[in-house]
Amino acid sequence: VELWGEAFRINPGSCINGGEYGMSLTNAQRPLDAVPVLWETHRRELESGWFNSTIQRTTSAASKWQRMNQLLTTRFKLTTALGNAGHCPKAVPLIDEALQLIEARLPALIVEKTEVDPNDGDEMKALTESEMQLGRNKAYLLVAKSRCATNLATMGQVAVLAVHASPHLPFAQDHVNSVSSLMEEARRTSGLAPEKVGISFAKNPDGGQNAVRSFHQLA
C-alpha cells in the first residue's frame, strides 16, 4: 500500500498508479478508501480516448482490445472494492454493464482474428491474448457478482459461470470451491437448500471497512 500510495501521490494522473493503489487498498481491507481512487481512475480512462501513450502511437487492432481489457480490469477492481464495502447495489449494475459489453464485442474480435494477415504472427498472437484476457476479465467480474449475490444458490450459479468463462483461472476456481464449501456447510448445519439461504451485508461492528456478510433463512 505504501509503495503504490507514494506513486499515486507523486503522479495521481496515472491510470496505472490509480488502479494499483486502489486495489492495494482493497486488499488491505480498506475498500472505502479504495473506492474514490478507483472511481477517479476509471472515469479518467473512460473519458480519455487513448489513456495509454503506447497504444496511441499504434493503429493495430490488438491495441484497441488491450485498451478495452484495461478498462474492464479497472471496472473489476472498482466493483470489488464496492462489494467488499457492502455497496453491492452500486456494484452489480456496473458489473452487468461490463459483462454485456464483453458479450457484445467478443464476436467482433473473433472476426478480426480471421482477417489477420497470415504472415503477421505478432498481430495474431496479440489478438489471441486479448481474447483470452477478455475471458479472464469476464471471470473476474462474475466472481465479483457472485460475491454480491443475495442468496447462496445464485452465488453458486454465478461462481460456476466464472469458471466456465476462464477454466484455468485459479482465482475463479478458488472462489467456486469456497462457495461449494459454504453450500455444504449450510446443508450440514441447517438442512437448508442453497436457494433458501439468504445473504446480507452489514457494517463491521469492529469498525473495519470490509462489510460483514451474514446468512439467514428465506421464506
Side-chain angles (χ1 to χ4, degrees):
V1 175
E2 289 79 9
L3 177 63
W4 283 113
E6 181 64 11
F8 182 73
R9 184 189 68 78
I10 294 171
N11 186 8
S14 166
C15 292
I16 293 175
N17 288 347
E20 294 297 334
Y21 180 43
M23 199 62 194
S24 67
L25 287 169
T26 301
N27 290 336
Q29 301 186 38
R30 295 169 56 188
L32 292 176
D33 293 334
V35 167
V37 174
L38 292 168
W39 265 120
E40 177 59 23
T41 296
H42 199 37
R43 181 197 63 76
R44 192 180 303 113
E45 288 178 348
L46 290 169
E47 290 181 355
S48 174
W50 299 101
F51 67 88
N52 184 296
S53 59
T54 302
I55 293 177
Q56 191 174 17
R57 290 194 296 269
T58 180
T59 58
S60 73
S63 68
K64 298 174 177 61
W65 293 107
Q66 290 164 0
R67 178 179 188 272
M68 178 177 170
N69 272 312
Q70 179 61 44
L71 291 169
L72 291 169
T73 297
T74 305
R75 178 67 63 97
F76 160 71
K77 293 175 179 179
L78 171 59
T79 54
T80 296
L82 286 167
N84 287 3
H87 299 322
C88 283
K90 293 181 179 179
V92 172
L94 293 172
I95 295 169
D96 286 341
E97 181 183 58
L99 291 172
Q100 290 165 11
L101 177 63
I102 292 172
E103 293 304 312
R105 297 298 303 278
L106 185 57
L109 173 54
I110 294 172
V111 169
E112 285 185 21
K113 286 179 63 179
T114 67
E115 297 174 344
V116 172
D117 183 341
N119 297 317
D120 192 348
D122 289 343
E123 185 75 355
M124 176 58 76
K125 181 179 178 181
L127 286 172
T128 299
E129 173 54 33
S130 292
E131 183 180 6
M132 293 174 63
Q133 185 59 40
L134 276 181
R136 290 191 289 267
N137 275 322
K138 181 178 179 180
Y140 282 124
L141 288 159
L142 285 166
V143 169
K145 184 172 182 177
S146 172
R147 288 174 170 168
C148 276
T150 56
N151 67 76
L152 199 51
T154 300
M155 177 181 276
Q157 291 162 3
V158 180
V160 170
L161 291 177
V163 173
H164 288 170
S166 187
H168 303 296
L169 184 66
F171 182 76
Q173 191 62 58
D174 289 346
H175 177 66
V176 81
N177 290 341
S178 174
V179 176
S180 295
S181 296
L182 286 175
M183 289 181 169
E184 181 58 33
E185 180 69 11
R187 292 191 185 95
R188 186 180 65 81
T189 60
S190 67
L192 293 174
E195 59 269 19
K196 292 296 184 180
V197 180
I199 305 171
S200 58
F201 298 88
K203 275 189 174 183
N204 192 321
D206 297 329
Q209 293 189 14
N210 275 354
V212 176
R213 183 171 59 194
S214 61
F215 302 91
H216 56 274
Q217 183 173 351
L218 295 173

